[in-house]
Amino acid sequence: MSPASTRASTTVGAEATVPVSGTSASDSLMTPGGPGYRRMSLALFLAGVATFALLYSTQALLPLISGEFGVAASEASWTVAAATGGLALFVLPMSALSERFGRRAVMTGSLAVAVTVGLLVPFAPSLGVLVVLRAVQGAALAGLPASAQAYLAEEVRPKALVTAIGLFVAGNSVGGMSGRVITGWVAQEWGWRVAVGVIGVIAVACAVAFRLLLPAPRHFTAGSLRPRILLGTVRDHLANPLLRRLYAIGALFMTVFGGVYTVIGYRLTGAPFGLPQGIIGSIFLVYLVGTVSASTAGRLVGRLGRRGALYLAGGTTAAGLLLSLAPVLPLVLLGLVLITAGFFAGHAVASSAVSRTATQGRAQASALYQSMYYIGSSVGSTVGATAFHAAGWSGTVEVGLLAVVGVVTITVLGSVAARRTVVAHAH
């Protein structure tokens, strides 16, 4: 029998599965409260913190970057779009490496490269060099998201998978929040270069803790690096209508989020608000709402079903966009709270559904989701900034509302397809 059938120990490069004796495969999967679950959760939480802190380290600093290099918002936004674009382009190749050499090995290597580049970013002499460094950093971080989801799908019991992925996504929200809050206050005193340097040091600490905490995989079986096999796996995933819908939903949710948070700093520094950089950084404390909504996504799906949870997430996001149009700071903040809650809930639901739907080539399935997700981020940051330059905040909101309409439309089409399948089986 194959290692996949017996769960026997298999050495793959620098990573090996751990023999599981005396238990069935399902009994050895991790569950909340069980052996290794807390270490695994904390390790991936910290990986999520490092990923989002690095990936969006310049986003809250865009007005300062614009000022130093004398560029408009649409040009400065490339320091964000380059990072997310690099991740989107490389997530599929990195997922292939994780199928061959192991999830933990790829995640560790990715973090090591990303934090090293993060320590170089503060010394970028020009906007062009900064954009290139950010693109390299994003490409390095590509090894994290898909590999993490594949690791969880292999090591955690299916009933606990939404919760486990929700905790990883919650780490993303904490990383995104802390990165922006810290950079905001540090930049106000010492400039944006020192601010991104501080984030780099924090990411180094997270990377070291991640490697020390993450349990060795017990159910990983090596795949192939042969391009024909990998392309066949990708083709099979893209042929699955449910996976295609989930990929599109992830991209559209991230289009909203990327656009809003790329531009919000420019809006709050201008009239009628005129907020200082430190206060603008603190606005990102609303990411804590995303931490809660992502970590409770499992319960939300349990009560409403996957499509019901997506409808609620989309409606919450749309309500937040409309509220943010008000020229009153408390209403803008409430709008950001709703946008953040809706986005992280929708992302956690869609990404966990991808992991449960794909039974083969999970890393590729997750990689395709992550690729579309970060393409959405790049599109949102550039289109949102361009719309802001052309029509102000209302232009950015219009882009976001169009994306939410797309989410709802795709979810409705999924409901129709599901009913047709039920009727067909009944006959």
Side-chain angles (χ1 to χ4, degrees), residues 229-242:
I229 294 176
L230 293 174
L231 289 174
T233 301
V234 170
R235 185 170 58 249
D236 290 343
H237 290 327
L238 292 176
N240 186 318
L242 175 56

Side-chain angles (χ1 to χ4, degrees), residues 98-315:
S98 83
E99 291 282 11
R100 181 67 180 88
F101 299 108
R103 321 302 185 194
R104 189 170 66 164
V106 169
M107 287 190 284
T108 301
S110 293
L111 273 178
V113 174
V115 299
T116 300
V117 176
L119 297 177
L120 297 176
V121 166
F123 304 100
S126 66
L127 181 63
V129 172
L130 178 59
V131 169
V132 169
L133 286 173
R134 296 282 292 147
V136 173
Q137 194 171 47
L141 288 170
L144 265 296
S147 298
Q149 290 191 30
Y151 177 96
L152 289 168
E154 291 164 353
E155 305 297 329
V156 176
R157 287 192 180 180
K159 289 185 178 180
L161 185 58
V162 176
T163 299
I165 289 180
L167 288 171
F168 175 65
V169 174
N172 292 345
S173 71
V174 170
M177 174 203 70
S178 59
R180 291 163 171 90
V181 172
I182 292 169
T183 56
W185 284 104
V186 173
Q188 183 170 300
E189 296 297 326
W190 295 288
W192 70 268
R193 295 179 183 274
V194 174
V196 294
V198 169
I199 293 301
V201 172
I202 292 172
V204 169
C206 288
V208 172
F210 161 81
R211 186 60 182 83
L212 293 175
L213 288 169
L214 189 68
R218 304 174 65 141
H219 301 288
F220 170 73
T221 302
S224 172
L225 278 176
R226 285 182 289 178
R228 187 173 65 178
I229 294 176
L230 293 174
L231 289 174
T233 301
V234 170
R235 185 170 58 249
D236 290 343
H237 290 327
L238 292 176
N240 186 318
L242 175 56
L243 287 177
R244 288 201 304 268
R245 289 194 293 270
L246 292 170
Y247 296 154
I249 286 170
L252 289 168
F253 266 122
M254 195 53 162
T255 297
V256 180
F257 200 68
V260 165
Y261 278 101
T262 295
V263 174
I264 192 64
Y266 290 98
R267 188 189 186 204
L268 295 180
T269 55
F273 306 109
L275 299 181
Q277 188 66 45
I279 297 298
I280 290 173
S282 297
I283 297 297
F284 291 92
L285 285 169
V286 299
Y287 265 50
L288 289 172
V289 176
T291 305
V292 174
S293 67
S295 59
T296 59
R299 289 198 293 270
L300 191 63
V301 172
R303 292 181 181 179
L304 303 177
R306 183 179 66 246
R307 286 185 289 273
L310 289 172
Y311 286 132
L312 180 59

Side-chain angles (χ1 to χ4, degrees), residues 316-327:
T316 302
T317 303
L321 287 167
L322 293 173
L323 266 179
S324 71
L325 288 168

